[in-house]
Amino acid sequence: MGCGKNRVESASEGCVCDILKEIVDAQNDVTDDCNSSCEESINELMGDRGTNKDTVPVILYCKDCKPFKGFGARRNEIDKIRESFIFRVKEVDEDCECALLELLVTPHSSEECHIKSPSDQDTSNLRATGICITVDLNCFCHITCLPAINARA
């Protein structure tokens, strides 16, 4: 069955979840023809260890085909809500039901941006924010992987 339909298959057959799990595994293993696919980004992350890349940034799309935008704030900065269409996958539960995502933003970008699409978001220097959200993976039907980066620098 396709996206958005009631699924009878096992949880391990969910393409978005499988990719998210592979990204988490690849990111956790990092120590010291299509060039924009998720597979290419994962290979880039795992390939040359000298690059210090630690993240495959992802954009998720809801079943209505619209990109998902997350919101959150740091613990001591509740008055500074941040928003992002781009995430670092932190964890995926064993049943592929939920994932923990970290918002990625460009430092010094305005908290008041109100970005309307992923193409409006500055990706020139994406950094981890420490702002994490939990999502229901059953709500997503598509994933876009961006080239691997070092988001922890």
Side-chain angles (χ1 to χ4, degrees):
M1 293 189 168
C3 283
K5 308 235 178 192
N6 290 332
R7 296 183 52 151
V8 193
E9 304 99 326
S10 69
S12 66
E13 294 176 3
C15 64
V16 171
C17 180
D18 290 340
I19 291 171
L20 292 178
K21 279 188 169 185
E22 192 173 349
I23 289 169
V24 169
D25 290 343
Q27 289 174 166
N28 290 340
D29 287 344
V30 172
T31 53
D32 184 78
D33 336 32
C34 180
N35 68 4
S36 63
S37 70
C38 289
E39 185 175 344
E40 283 296 318
S41 296
I42 292 167
N43 288 340
E44 184 180 13
L45 183 71
M46 297 305 296
D48 184 6
R49 302 273 186 200
T51 62
N52 292 325
K53 294 179 180 174
D54 61 11
T55 301
V56 174
V58 298
I59 301 169
L60 296 168
Y61 294 80
C62 299
K63 290 181 180 179
D64 64 1
C65 293
K66 292 183 181 172
F68 172 74
K69 180 166 50 169
F71 297 86
R74 291 189 176 104
R75 183 162 303 283
N76 295 323
E77 297 178 341
I78 190 98
D79 58 330
K80 295 180 183 173
I81 301 291
R82 302 299 303 259
E83 61 184 303
S84 183
F85 284 102
I86 305 170
F87 305 95
R88 181 180 201 272
V89 184
K90 301 287 286 182
E91 295 175 13
V92 177
D93 75 350
E94 201 167 305
D95 297 329
C96 281
E97 295 291 326
C98 295
L100 184 66
L101 306 177
E102 182 175 12
L103 277 66
L104 296 177
V105 300
T106 300
H108 313 297
S109 64
S110 169
E111 289 84 15
E112 306 298 323
C113 284
H114 304 298
I115 50 179
K116 297 197 183 320
S117 83
S119 61
D120 293 337
Q121 187 166 347
D122 183 3
T123 58
S124 61
N125 192 21
L126 288 172
R127 292 290 174 247
T129 61
I131 300 169
C132 296
I133 60 174
T134 302
V135 297
D136 181 341
L137 293 178
N138 294 310
C139 297
F140 301 110
C141 196
H142 172 76
I143 183 170
T144 297
C145 298
L146 302 176
I149 62 168
N150 183 352
R152 301 267 179 222

